[in-house]
Amino acid sequence: MNGTAKRIRNLGAASLFSLLSLTGCGTEAATPTTEPVPTGSAVTSGSTPEGKKSASGDISFQVFGDPAELAVFQAVVEGYKEVNPAVNVKINHVPAQGEHMTKISAGFAAGNPPDVFLLNYRRYGQFAAKNVLEPLGNWLDKSTTLKASDYYTQSLNAFTYEGTVQCIPQNISSLGVYYNKDLFEKNNLPLPTADWTWGEFLNAAQVLTLDTNGDGITDIHGVGVEPVIIRLAPFVWSRGGEIVDNTENPTKLTLDTPEAREAIDFFMNMSRLYRVVPTEPEIKAEALDTRFMNGKIGMYLASRVETPIFRNIKGFTWDVAPLPTDQTKVTILHSDAYCVAASSKNKEAAWDFIEYAQGTKGQEVASRLGRIVPSLKSVSTSPAFLDPTQPPANSQMYLDAVPNIRLVPISAAWPAVETVVNKELERAFFGTATVDEAIQLAMQKANEEFGKVR
């Protein structure tokens, strides 16, 4: 596990992509809220493409995440059992996302994948390209309980491959800034606003980088951020740059444009020049999210996924803010979806479970426990999500960010691209390579990965 790894969420994308390729078994601009619904998502009557059937029997459901995240999925399954006790949902929990992805790939290779499984939009393209996913657009079309128009189009379109909805999204989270409100107030810093700038963000980071013991050792850092492309991308977009040449059909990275380079320099200088982030050895000793929970980081860049575990924080008050803005207000989508294996022997039960889990009741359960920013518009504006008694107080921030959400490319090559690019970004961030060297190698290696799927 490298120095930027979180407690248990490693990606393992390169090994996954390689396995998919060997087995043959599964390998933008901001999206407006008025974007048309993808083909295969019109609402008609019925409940399954084959006609209404009584769902029963056993299905497996594979998920990943820490114990707080697992508790959310367990609660959803328990709620479903009350609605349909004839279906037995067996949860297969894998703590690390990398292992989760590898197991799914191995399951396809062996002919026994889980019936239902969680996939991030950045990683499902390699499966959709190999036709091992059951396209769920047809099931959604015929559902009497779910309608495509009930979902945010950004999240539904993120799981649309070649015009067909492949999986049903559970969330429309975005990247935000968790911040230690007590630290801000103690150091007389104004709290982050909806319109704060890069300069204000950097100033806060510098003020919050502290030697509280007076021994010459920094024990509180202003920022915790992973040097990976999904953290860097919104900074590039905010500066007016792009990360790829074509968001629909990418063939190369574009991290060497003037706008991209300016954003990269700002991002890298948090470590290389201003030293407002923990060092690589410090992160290896204590992960960034754990440091935030222990009051050792003033601001932490992450998605809504951290909320369930952060609700265990007792020592200080925390909240969330949008990313700071340079030229354009922008953020990046973080969304997982429930997918079904094309080879599942009980698709009726799998879909019946998804109808509950991704319907109003299931999303209300997940929302109350803090795991998701609901992809269902009605739930996102309900007390289940906007509960003022539960942190973060500013959950509305995620809804305000929806019009500013952008996506990384939906490409079979993207998981492998992320792996090679993240390695180079990490080297530059922690000073073992120059920024120029890292960018050139990242582009070279990424372009090779794009070329493999063309």
Side-chain angles (χ1 to χ4, degrees):
M1 186 173 290
N2 64 35
T4 64
K6 301 172 76 170
R7 289 186 312 277
I8 54 176
R9 298 186 188 98
N10 65 73
L11 305 183
S15 59
L16 168 65
F17 186 81
S18 176
L19 178 57
L20 290 170
S21 300
L22 288 172
T23 63
C25 295
T27 67
E28 113 205 60
T31 310
T33 55
T34 56
E35 187 171 341
V37 173
T39 303
S41 297
V43 180
T44 59
S45 60
S47 94
T48 76
E50 297 81 15
K52 181 66 178 177
K53 296 182 180 179
S54 178
S56 61
D58 298 334
I59 58 170
S60 56
F61 175 38
Q62 185 167 308
V63 301
F64 63 90
D66 59 28
E69 293 177 73
L70 172 60
V72 175
F73 297 115
Q74 289 172 328
V76 171
V77 170
E78 288 301 313
Y80 174 65
K81 286 181 180 179
E82 295 180 5
V83 174
N84 188 359
V87 175
N88 177 44
V89 182
K90 179 184 178 182
I91 295 180
N92 300 330
H93 174 240
V94 183
Q97 187 170 177
E99 183 185 358
H100 167 75
M101 297 296 290
T102 300
K103 284 192 172 184
I104 290 174
S105 179
F108 280 123
N112 61 349
D115 296 289
V116 182
F117 44 92
L118 204 65
L119 281 181
N120 187 279
Y121 85 95
R122 305 188 334 265
R123 299 186 177 88
Y124 85 94
Q126 57 196 312
F127 296 102
K130 293 294 183 179
N131 298 313
V132 298
L133 300 179
E134 171 72 10
L136 296 183
N138 293 333
W139 296 79
L140 183 59
D141 285 351
K142 297 181 181 295
S143 175
T144 58
T145 60
L146 301 182
K147 295 189 297 182
S149 59
D150 291 339
Y151 292 89
Y152 285 103
T153 54
Q154 291 93 333
S155 59
L156 200 61
N157 289 341
F159 289 95
T160 299
Y161 190 83
E162 295 184 348
T164 300
V165 173
Q166 301 289 322
C167 307
I168 306 299
Q170 70 166 348
N171 54 26
I172 189 165
S173 180
S174 56
L175 185 62
V177 182
Y178 289 89
Y179 65 93
N180 185 323
K181 186 177 180 181
D182 291 1
L183 268 181
F184 269 76
E185 293 175 345
K186 182 178 180 181
N187 290 278
N188 299 313
L189 279 169
L191 299 180
T193 68
D195 299 308
W196 67 328
T197 65
W198 282 11
E200 291 168 327
F201 170 77
L202 179 59
N203 176 67
Q206 291 176 293
V207 171
L208 296 177
T209 300
L210 302 166
D211 167 17
T212 61
N213 297 318
D215 56 5
I217 299 174
T218 299
D219 52 319
I220 298 177
H221 288 87
V223 179
V225 58
E226 298 166 283
V228 293
I229 189 66
I230 59 171
R231 298 292 184 262
L232 173 64
F235 286 89
V236 173
W237 296 330
S238 185
R239 190 66 165 181
E242 296 291 341
I243 61 172
V244 294
D245 59 336
N246 186 319
T247 57
E248 299 297 323
N249 185 27
T251 64
K252 64 179 181 179
L253 288 189
T254 55
L255 298 182
D256 58 348
T257 66
E259 296 85 359
R261 276 306 313 268
E262 290 165 3
I264 292 169
D265 286 341
F266 177 85
F267 188 92
M268 293 295 172
N269 282 341
M270 286 190 281
S271 175
R272 298 175 65 96
L273 178 61
Y274 300 110
R275 305 196 182 282
V276 294
V277 299
T279 64
E280 187 173 19
E282 286 173 328
I283 297 172
K284 286 182 176 179
E286 186 177 19
L288 292 174
D289 48 0
T290 304
R291 284 178 171 270
F292 180 80
M293 294 181 69
N294 291 337
K296 298 179 181 178
I297 286 178
M299 299 179 289
Y300 178 49
L301 276 64
S303 71
R304 182 74 179 191
V305 71
E306 298 288 356
T307 293
I309 189 68
F310 284 178
R311 284 182 175 174
N312 294 314
I313 294 173
K314 304 299 182 185
F316 60 88
T317 302
W318 58 273
D319 206 346
V320 291
L323 292 177
T325 299
D326 183 52
Q327 297 180 11
T328 303
K329 186 176 292 188
V330 67
T331 187
I332 185 171
L333 179 69
H334 283 259
S335 183
D336 302 311
Y338 284 48
C339 305
V340 175
S343 59
S344 171
K345 294 180 174 58
N346 199 348
K347 294 176 185 176
E348 289 76 21
W351 177 250
D352 195 64
F353 170 58
I354 289 175
E355 279 191 310
Y356 172 83
Q358 302 297 59
T360 301
K361 290 184 178 179
Q363 288 212 351
E364 283 180 349
V365 170
S367 296
R368 290 191 184 97
L369 293 174
R371 171 61 177 83
I372 66 170
V373 179
S375 56
L376 279 175
K377 289 178 280 189
S378 61
V379 180
S380 74
T381 56
S382 74
F385 177 66
L386 298 174
D387 183 352
T389 68
Q390 290 287 341
N394 191 23
S395 286
Q396 179 66 40
M397 181 276 294
Y398 293 102
L399 307 187
D400 294 340
V402 169
N404 306 317
I405 285 177
R406 291 191 60 175
L407 285 68
V408 298
I410 308 299
S411 166
W414 189 254
V417 168
E418 277 199 9
T419 296
V420 297
V421 172
N422 290 349
K423 181 178 179 180
E424 297 306 322
L425 293 179
E426 182 178 316
R427 293 201 309 133
F429 197 72
F430 292 120
T432 59
T434 67
V435 175
D436 285 337
E437 177 187 10
I439 289 175
Q440 291 306 313
L441 281 174
M443 292 178 60
Q444 175 188 327
K445 293 177 180 179
N447 297 349
E448 290 173 358
E449 297 298 340
F450 281 129
K452 292 177 182 178
V453 300
R454 290 203 295 271

